Amino acid sequence: MPGDKIITSNGSTADKYTEMTGLTHKRLIDNWASGGIMTGCNGFTGWYGTKLGSKKYLGDFDLKKIVRDAGKENAWIKSTKDNRPRYGDILRHASFHVDVALDFDGNVFIRAAGGQGGKAMGCDIIKRVRGRGSYNPGALESWIDIDLYFGDDDRPALVPDWNWLIGW
């Protein structure tokens, strides 16, 4: 998702929203009218995983079960103060939300996320989300390390390990 582009479930980006979530604006407003709280966060991570070639649909809150059923338990990373998600990882927040890790700007976490709208806004939104403060590992339950999931852990960490410099 380039720069500050915002994709909404209605208006000129509605077709792109539907492509990236599997949801139409009508389906969302019908759900909201009946008291539901549906958004496209799951659909967005599902679409993302499919685009990467996942045979399993990655658009669910129970990501741990998905990786277990795929035989990729090693890709399920529990969030702790000693680790951080890396670019492209699919995040399971402590609240009922899923999205995709992008980067860190210093200690501020940046993600790509569906589910950024809702009934009160009159539409759902997919956009980049910049944390409001320092990264809080407690805000995440865990994540799918996307490289381990697809069998490639050769990428560099977002936060480099400088321990090799000790002693130089």
Side-chain angles (χ1 to χ4, degrees):
M1 178 178 298
D4 294 325
K5 184 164 180 77
I6 293 174
I7 299 169
T8 62
S9 62
N10 61 357
S12 64
T13 58
D15 289 343
K16 189 67 172 170
Y17 178 90
T18 297
E19 174 192 336
M20 294 174 74
T21 64
L23 297 171
T24 63
H25 185 68
K26 179 175 182 347
R27 184 166 176 206
L28 290 168
I29 59 174
D30 288 350
N31 174 269
W32 299 334
S34 66
I37 58 170
M38 180 183 285
T39 66
C41 70
N42 296 88
F44 176 66
T45 60
W47 169 82
Y48 168 72
T50 299
K51 287 301 219 183
L52 292 177
S54 178
K55 292 176 177 55
K56 296 278 186 183
Y57 184 72
L58 302 178
D60 197 323
F61 293 125
D62 195 354
L63 296 173
K64 183 176 184 177
K65 180 181 182 326
I66 292 171
V67 296
R68 186 180 62 236
D69 290 351
K72 304 284 187 168
E73 296 89 351
N74 66 321
W76 186 243
I77 309 298
K78 187 76 175 152
S79 183
T80 71
K81 65 179 178 65
D82 298 322
N83 64 9
R84 286 185 170 192
R86 298 183 291 180
Y87 183 85
D89 291 344
I90 298 177
L91 312 168
R92 172 58 164 90
H93 292 256
S95 60
F96 279 103
H97 183 67
V98 290
D99 57 20
V100 178
L102 292 179
D103 202 355
F104 284 87
D105 180 5
N107 203 28
V108 176
F109 196 24
I110 302 169
R111 310 174 327 265
Q116 299 304 295
K119 181 179 181 176
M121 294 186 78
C123 68
D124 193 26
I125 301 168
I126 301 169
K127 66 179 185 175
R128 286 181 186 251
V129 176
R130 181 182 174 83
R132 294 185 185 142
S134 291
Y135 173 66
N136 173 12
L140 295 177
E141 177 184 296
S142 38
W143 59 84
I144 296 175
D145 181 307
I146 208 69
D147 288 326
L148 289 176
Y149 184 80
F150 286 106
D152 178 17
D153 193 33
D154 292 337
R155 67 182 174 161
L158 282 177
V159 179
D161 178 3
W162 296 107
N163 288 332
W164 64 272
L165 277 175
I166 296 172
W168 275 57

